[in-house]
Amino acid sequence: MATCLRLRSCPAARLPPAPAARGLRPRCSAQPRRSAGGLAGLSAALLRTDRFVDGRWLPAAAAFPVHDPASGAELGLVADCGVPETRAAVRAAYEAFCSWRDVSAKERSSLLRKWYDLMIQNKDDLAKIITAESGKPLKEAQGEVVYAALFLEWFSEEARRIYGDVIRPPARDRRALVLKQPVGVAAVITPWNFPSAMITRKVGAALAAGCTVVVKPAEHTPFSALALAELANQAGIPPGVYNVIPCSRKKAKEVGEALCTDPLVSKISFTGSTATGKILLHHAAGSVKRVSMELGGHAPFIVFDSANVDQAVAGAMASKFRNSGQTCVCSNRFLVQRGIHDSFVKKFAEAIKTNLRVGNGFEERTTQGPLIDEKAVEKVEKHVSDAVSKGATIVTGGKRHQLGKNFFEPTLLSNVTRDMLCSHEETFGPLAPVIKFDTEEEAVAIANAAEVGLAGYFYSQDPAQIWRVAERLEVGMVGVNEGLISSVECPFGGVKQSGLGREGSKYGIDEYLELKYVCFGGL
């Protein structure tokens, strides 16, 4: 837990000197190219390109381009922050923490609510920014903005529900108190697939608890994080409480290490791949920082013989193809019992062909936008090629879409076996491999064979089976006869190598609080 009590009389004197920003030169802020994609006509106030530190928009010595994944067009140049800018942001957050921690819960609640209100007022523009930089279909982007805003609303309410305890110890002249206090500065590192919601889910909890934050957004999607900074500023969030330091892929490693090793940072919250999470854990271990991580998944989707096939297909469509399969809780392995297998595959294929339309995210009929980059497409291609070479059958799709290099056809494979790459690696794309099984025990064993355990889904009409499987699946979240499970009121997180801690719900705020025991004697 960060300690600020001794700093109040002279905060700057106790802080280590900020590192010199050698080589930094002021530059004119690069403006987004508004003619590109959906950025045309958006409010200039929301289209920010500089870093946001201590309540100010500041340039950096360098900039990096952000591209529309659908067309490849450059959307704009954004400040490319390095270690000096990172240290400066952390220092600003630390100094702000010394006062923010003492702001009343009611006032913190009010400010978060104002931020929520501004997100809702600007939801259409925020959604267009998401679609432009991530390729997500506009309707999905609009849904994400509302979902993201709801985390601010939820934690604005939870801010006033941080309760401690009074314990009666054996000694008659003592009383024991348990206090909950903010941990300090939180470094928040977020992914590109939910560029608004992954920020507010973390930042809402942190600010409600009394922490301050430094956000490093994904290099693909910095505009969303910067737009949120503008709205936080408009809402009256004090300077230094919410800071954003975008950076290029080239600098991401050094910035991540700087955040994880800075002595003024008390907490790391990361959403991303398991491999990157392990690296950040290693860096954070040196100073034993509090860490919460939502890492990779490889969700099983099990359909038992007793399932309602039509419901299972509808759930499969929602779970697999949202954001073109680029979500951490997307179903990656479809395990279908032999008696219902052929019927499920047939109806699943029909639903894919009938209901999915690949296109630019701004086109009204589009349900499947581009993948984030060509590397993502290559991984899907690799999984399809490997499966086919080992005996899988392409039921529909199976290749790049004619629209461009980042588009891939929604693909369904049958006759998939456990030795194929798609059976034991997360695809993160529009690929649905179907594995046939015979018994419940076999299905659970296949599902639990993964090293990760974020989400799992299954369809059954057998009450006893529902209880057994729900309890035996080694995942942090289970959807029973349901393909969409995320909700601000419910805890989000995984087991095994899918991460540490939980986000959202009444439990999410605990990730940013420390328990302090106070023994009051001499009574």
Side-chain angles (χ1 to χ4, degrees):
M1 180 174 63
T3 316
C4 282
L5 292 175
R6 69 177 188 274
L7 302 177
R8 284 184 186 139
S9 60
C10 185
R14 299 282 186 168
L15 289 168
R22 295 178 182 174
L24 289 181
R25 304 183 307 278
R27 65 171 180 85
C28 294
S29 300
Q31 293 300 313
R33 301 177 189 274
R34 295 189 201 171
S35 60
L39 294 184
L42 296 189
S43 167
L46 292 181
L47 291 176
R48 297 289 186 167
T49 59
D50 290 333
R51 57 188 167 123
F52 185 72
V53 175
D54 203 19
R56 296 177 294 162
W57 295 102
L58 302 172
F64 68 97
V66 178
H67 295 95
D68 174 357
S71 66
E74 183 180 299
L75 297 173
L77 297 171
V78 176
D80 193 4
C81 297
V83 173
E85 293 93 343
T86 302
R87 300 293 189 203
V90 169
R91 182 184 178 88
Y94 187 80
E95 291 178 339
F97 172 67
C98 295
S99 56
W100 179 248
R101 65 177 298 173
D102 294 325
V103 171
S104 71
K106 183 176 181 180
E107 186 174 348
R108 292 200 300 267
S109 173
S110 177
L111 290 170
L112 284 169
R113 177 69 198 205
K114 290 178 182 176
W115 195 4
Y116 159 82
D117 289 338
L118 286 169
M119 283 195 69
I120 296 301
Q121 291 170 24
N122 291 273
K123 64 180 185 295
D124 290 337
D125 281 355
L126 293 173
K128 289 176 182 177
I129 292 173
I130 290 174
T131 296
E133 62 183 353
S134 76
K136 182 177 295 188
L138 188 58
K139 287 183 180 178
E140 286 192 25
Q142 291 167 341
E144 180 186 340
V145 172
V146 174
Y147 178 57
L150 286 173
F151 281 110
L152 298 181
E153 180 189 47
W154 173 262
F155 284 114
S156 75
E157 297 163 351
E158 289 298 294
R160 303 181 69 178
R161 302 190 184 108
I162 300 174
Y163 305 127
D165 286 300
V166 177
I167 301 171
R168 187 68 179 261
R172 298 177 64 182
D173 63 342
R174 298 179 186 175
R175 295 294 183 271
L177 309 176
V178 178
L179 310 179
K180 290 185 177 182
Q181 297 181 309
V183 298
V185 176
V188 172
I189 304 174
T190 57
W192 49 263
N193 58 338
F194 286 90
S196 286
M198 295 302 96
I199 291 175
T200 56
R201 191 163 72 185
K202 300 171 187 294
V203 172
L207 269 58
C211 298
T212 56
V213 298
V214 177
V215 177
K216 191 212 84 63
E219 65 272 13
H220 294 94
T221 55
F223 285 117
S224 291
L226 296 170
L228 290 179
E230 171 61 28
L231 296 180
N233 200 35
Q234 292 180 22
I237 303 294
V241 173
Y242 178 79
N243 307 274
V244 182
I245 48 167
C247 73
S248 62
R249 178 181 291 272
K250 181 179 179 181
K251 292 184 179 179
K253 183 178 180 180
E254 65 185 56
V255 168
E257 182 174 354
L259 289 171
C260 290
T261 57
D262 195 307
L264 299 183
V265 173
S266 299
K267 161 78 179 183
I268 304 294
S269 180
F270 169 72
T271 296
S273 72
T274 298
T276 300
K278 290 178 179 180
I279 294 171
L280 298 179
L281 275 170
H282 175 77
H283 291 317
S287 49
V288 197
K289 298 187 190 304
R290 283 280 296 274
V291 174
S292 56
M293 296 197 168
E294 190 256 289
L295 306 177
H298 191 36
F301 188 105
I302 307 171
V303 185
F304 291 103
D305 281 343
S306 67
N308 179 308
V309 178
D310 293 332
Q311 289 182 1
V313 169
M317 292 290 290
S319 174
K320 174 69 256 184
F321 294 107
R322 186 164 57 116
N323 198 18
S324 300
Q326 298 174 113
T327 84
C328 53
V329 292
C330 271
S331 297
N332 269 268
R333 300 166 289 159
F334 290 82
L335 314 179
V336 185
Q337 200 159 12
R338 184 175 298 276
I340 208 170
H341 174 274
D342 292 350
S343 176
F344 175 83
V345 170
K346 180 181 178 181
K347 290 188 175 185
F348 196 10
E350 291 172 352
I352 291 172
K353 295 173 183 177
T354 302
N355 300 320
L356 299 184
R357 182 182 184 275
V358 179
N360 187 296
F362 285 104
E363 296 174 2
E364 186 175 355
R365 294 179 57 207
T366 295
T367 64
Q368 302 289 287
L371 273 66
I372 192 63
D373 56 26
E374 193 169 13
K375 183 178 179 181
V377 175
E378 290 171 353
K379 185 174 185 180
V380 181
E381 281 186 321
K382 180 180 178 182
H383 280 193
V384 172
S385 175
D386 172 79
V388 171
S389 72
K390 294 175 180 175
T393 301
I394 297 175
V395 180
T396 186
K399 62 183 183 301
R400 294 194 188 209
H401 197 279
Q402 61 186 8
L403 279 178
K405 66 178 183 179
N406 290 345
F407 291 88
F408 200 90
E409 296 176 344
T411 299
L412 176 62
L413 300 180
S414 64
N415 298 319
V416 174
T417 55
R418 296 177 64 182
D419 63 326
M420 299 173 185
L421 285 177
C422 59
S423 296
H424 54 85
E425 284 186 6
E426 185 179 27
T427 303
F428 227 66
L431 171 61
V434 179
I435 301 172
K436 188 184 297 184
F437 71 89
D438 290 303
T439 67
E440 176 185 313
E441 292 73 18
E442 180 187 2
V444 172
I446 294 172
N448 290 342
E451 294 181 339
V452 293
L454 187 58
Y457 310 84
F458 69 92
Y459 278 70
S460 170
Q461 298 297 315
D462 181 341
Q465 183 177 64
I466 287 172
W467 280 111
R468 287 194 306 270
V469 176
E471 292 178 352
R472 291 175 183 172
L473 283 179
E474 296 173 357
V475 295
M477 299 172 286
V478 179
V480 182
N481 297 327
E482 180 56 62
L484 295 176
I485 58 176
S486 297
S487 172
V488 298
E489 297 84 0
C490 302
F492 192 102
V495 299
K496 300 197 282 191
Q497 293 188 35
S498 280
L500 304 166
R502 293 296 182 269
E503 294 183 338
S505 78
K506 68 176 184 179
Y507 305 103
I509 202 167
D510 291 336
E511 300 292 334
Y512 298 89
L513 294 167
E514 294 277 22
L515 294 181
K516 178 182 285 185
Y517 157 51
V518 178
C519 182
F520 192 177
L523 301 177

